[in-house]
Each structure stands twice: as C-alpha cells, then as structure tokens.
Amino acid sequence: MEKKRWVRVAWIGGTAAVALIVLLIVLPGRVANGVIRPRLESALSRRLNRRVSIGRLDISVLHGRVRAARILIADSPGFSRRPFAEIPAIQAHFHFWPLLFGRTVVSSLRIIRPRIRLLRNRRGEWNVASMVRRRRAAAPPGKPPARRASPFNAEKVQVEQGAILVAATPDRHDVVRIAFHLAASQVRPDRPFPLTWVATVNGGGTIHAAGTVGPLDARNATAALTATVRHLTAAELVRMAAVLGYHPHGFAITRGTVNTAARVAGGLGAPDVAAVVSGHGLEVSHLRLPDASLMTQLGISGGTGRVKIPSLHARLAYHPGILRLQRLFAETSFGAIQAHGRMRLGGAMAFTVLVHPILTPHHHGLAGLIGSVARLMEKTKHANVEMQISGTARHPIFKPLNGRH
C-alpha cells in the first residue's frame, strides 16, 4: 500500500515537472513564434507605415529574457528594394511582476549591429518621412488631448556597433558612412529621456552628442542636444554637402579639417541649430568668381584659382530651410575676410563680404607677383574691398559695393 502511494506521488511529481518544463521552456517558444511574432510584426508595420519582419523570436519567462533575430524594416516605395534597416539581433531583459499589471519594464535592451540606410531622392525627400506617425484625431474644443501613461519603460538601452549609410538616390557615388554607439536610460515614449551618441564619419571625423530626446509619441519627436564634431576632413565635408543636396559651383574644397560645436533643439525632423565652426589648413581650388572684375580674380589667386585658408571661424544658425551666417572671420592667402548673410537652401542668398588684402605674394613665381600687384593697385583706391554676393548657390553674383569695376 505504501509503495503504491509513493508511485502515485512520483507520477504526479513527474507530470508536474513535465508540465512545468512545457510551460517555461517549450510553450514560450511556440507562443512566441506562432502567436506573438506575427502580431508584433503587424503592430510594428502599422506603426512605421512599412513592412517589418522578424526572423525568430525567443521568450524565456524563467529568465525574463526576449531575443529577436533578423529584423528587417522595408524601405519606402520608390527609394530602394533593399531594407531601410537590418538588425541582426535584439536582446531584452524584463521584470516579470509588472507584466501582471499590463506594464512592460525592461531592465536592459541591447540592439546589436543595426544597419540603417538614409536616402534622399531628387525632390529632396528622405525615406524616413513616411515613418512619421499620423496625427491623432483632434480633441473637442476646450478639452485638452488625453495623455495616457506609457506602458513601456526601458531602464537601459544600448545600440552597439551601429552603422548608418546616408546617400542621395540619383547619385550613389557620394555616400556618407557613420559608425556609431548609442546609450540611453529611463526610456519612455511619453517623456524626455537622456541620450548620448558617439560616432565616426567614414572612418575619420568624430561626432559626440548628448542631451535629451522625446517625447517620442508626438508626430515629430523633439530633442535638446549639444554636439561636437572633430577633425572632419575636407573630403568628408564635401560628401556630406553633396548628400544634403549642395554641390559647390565655382570652387572646390580640397584640403583641411573642420571642427564644430552645435546646439540642436526642436523637432528632429526640422531642428533649430546654432553652431560655431572652425576650419584649419583649408585649401580651395578651381576658384571662379562670376561677374567679378579681372583685378579681383588676379588679386585673389594670381590666376591660379587656388586659395589657402589657414584659419576660419564662423557662427551659424540654421532654421529649417534657412542658413544664417551671423559672423565669419578668416585668414586667407590674399588677406583677411569678414562676412555675414543668409542663404535659403535651394534658393536665394545674400552675403556681405569685407576683404582686407595683404600686399605680400602668396604664391611662388609669376602668379604670386601678379596677385600682389593687383592687390596693391586695388588698395591704392580702397583700404578694404567690400562686396555683396547674391543670386543662388548655383548662380552667384558678385557685386562691389565701394565703386570697383
């Protein structure tokens, strides 16, 4: 009798153990890929306005862990057949008890080796534009829109070994590649959270940004960041400008490095930026000044089209679509320059430039001699040369303001 009772207890215990194994190990895998994964793909696709696929989803209730592998986010129609983003793996650890109350509290979230492709088309539109959330229905008059507490909170978020490719679809020759690492804490979509971002551009210049981002549940996420750019080379600068749609006409930047300190505020899609820029060892070649006098052309480069800029300091302000040059001072091979003005990207510009020429040759041989003689002849008329630059970036117009012809 005693033996039968122990057999029954052993049978019940074995059955319970098997059931527990099924509940904690086998069932989560079946549920994750058979039920949760399709629903998660559908929800993310609706949220991002493009197809999202997850290769595999693993959930461990016992360890409070979720792993997702081979996440693909499709690109916007008309940009590329390749994915907008590819993420080999995402790992998350969560707290179990908040789930019972409908809240997701993630202790750590790691996004490993994401690859993101930012593309701009001929109309200046970016492939991320369609990912912006649609506005919610307006609240009744006199009633503020309801703000619900976010059911999601990530205590620590890290993006490791990330890469961003930035290119313009008409011409893929100019490509900016950015390798980055991102860290954030206490991430909630309904409130700002601290963030740091460290990156290198094309294996050269470095970028460091820190501040707050959010809330993210609005149509256009907001940010308050300070950023520094160090040792951005001329080649990197030219590539960046080309991708953003600016192609210099009448000159080319061939050498030098640029450092920048900037403050970024407002919506990430249309930010306000205030920046201080310094350049060192810059060199401009193939310089041509349309509508400028022959003496001006000779005085600047002696007819070589080459100008050295040992140092440059500028204060800039960018409001969506408009770039303001609040102050510029530069030491060049033909003299000191001061300038201020504004330019509408893709439109008109208006700058005032004051040049204090030097009389010493800045080129060896005949070119240097011609340049110094031309500047001497101009300086006998005016101690400084004042000039207005108008028109557009593609078709600039140089007009002297102190009677030069």
Side-chain angles (χ1 to χ4, degrees), residues 248-251 286-294 296-297 300 349 387-400 404:
H249 290 265
F251 70 96
H286 304 92
L287 180 65
R288 301 186 307 275
L289 303 180
D291 301 323
S293 68
L294 176 61
T296 299
Q297 298 275 12
I300 289 177
M349 65 179 180
M387 183 182 303
Q388 186 179 73
I389 306 175
S390 59
T392 66
R394 184 174 291 272
H395 299 289
I397 300 173
F398 295 82
K399 180 182 178 181
R404 294 197 315 145

Side-chain angles (χ1 to χ4, degrees), residues 340-344 348-352 388-391:
H340 66 274
R342 55 179 282 171
M343 177 174 69
R344 182 176 293 277
M349 65 179 180
F351 293 98
T352 300
Q388 186 179 73
I389 306 175
S390 59

Side-chain angles (χ1 to χ4, degrees), residues 57-78:
L57 187 66
D58 296 315
I59 299 176
S60 173
V61 179
L62 187 63
H63 297 94
R65 182 180 63 220
V66 176
R67 291 177 176 172
R70 301 188 304 278
I71 301 99
L72 300 179
I73 303 175
D75 208 341
S76 184

Side-chain angles (χ1 to χ4, degrees), residues 159-178:
V159 180
E160 303 174 3
Q161 301 177 49
I164 301 175
L165 181 146
V166 190
T169 52
D171 185 3
R172 298 293 179 86
H173 297 294
D174 292 310
V175 175
V176 177
R177 292 180 172 85
I178 302 173

Side-chain angles (χ1 to χ4, degrees), residues 81-250:
R81 294 182 179 180
R82 298 180 63 184
F84 163 75
E86 304 176 56
I87 307 173
I90 296 178
Q91 299 179 3
H93 289 82
F94 60 89
H95 297 295
F96 176 76
W97 292 110
L99 294 174
L100 302 179
F101 300 94
R103 296 176 57 242
T104 303
V105 179
V106 177
S107 59
S108 67
L109 176 65
R110 294 175 61 210
I111 302 173
I112 302 170
R113 297 192 307 277
R115 299 294 182 264
I116 302 170
R117 304 171 72 248
L118 299 179
L119 303 179
R120 185 184 63 85
N121 63 17
R122 296 179 184 274
R123 296 187 297 274
E125 300 168 339
W126 292 88
N127 59 346
V128 293
S130 62
M131 297 177 69
V132 176
R133 286 188 62 185
R134 299 182 179 89
R135 291 187 184 273
R136 296 176 180 174
K143 182 179 179 180
R147 180 186 280 281
R148 296 184 301 173
S150 171
F152 176 83
N153 178 21
E155 296 172 351
K156 182 180 179 182
V157 176
Q158 286 185 308
V159 180
E160 303 174 3
Q161 301 177 49
I164 301 175
L165 181 146
V166 190
T169 52
D171 185 3
R172 298 293 179 86
H173 297 294
D174 292 310
V175 175
V176 177
R177 292 180 172 85
I178 302 173
F180 72 96
H181 176 86
L182 181 147
S185 60
Q186 301 302 327
V187 177
R188 289 182 54 170
D190 60 341
R191 63 178 58 174
F193 55 87
L195 174 146
T196 59
W197 190 65
V198 180
T200 58
V201 182
N202 289 325
T206 61
I207 304 174
H208 182 275
T212 60
V213 175
L216 300 178
D217 60 348
R219 178 176 174 85
N220 188 15
T222 57
L225 301 170
T226 58
T228 56
V229 180
R230 299 289 185 189
H231 307 300
L232 191 68
T233 67
E236 293 166 348
L237 184 64
V238 169
R239 271 193 294 266
M240 279 187 165
V243 169
L244 295 174
Y246 176 67
H247 297 271
H249 290 265

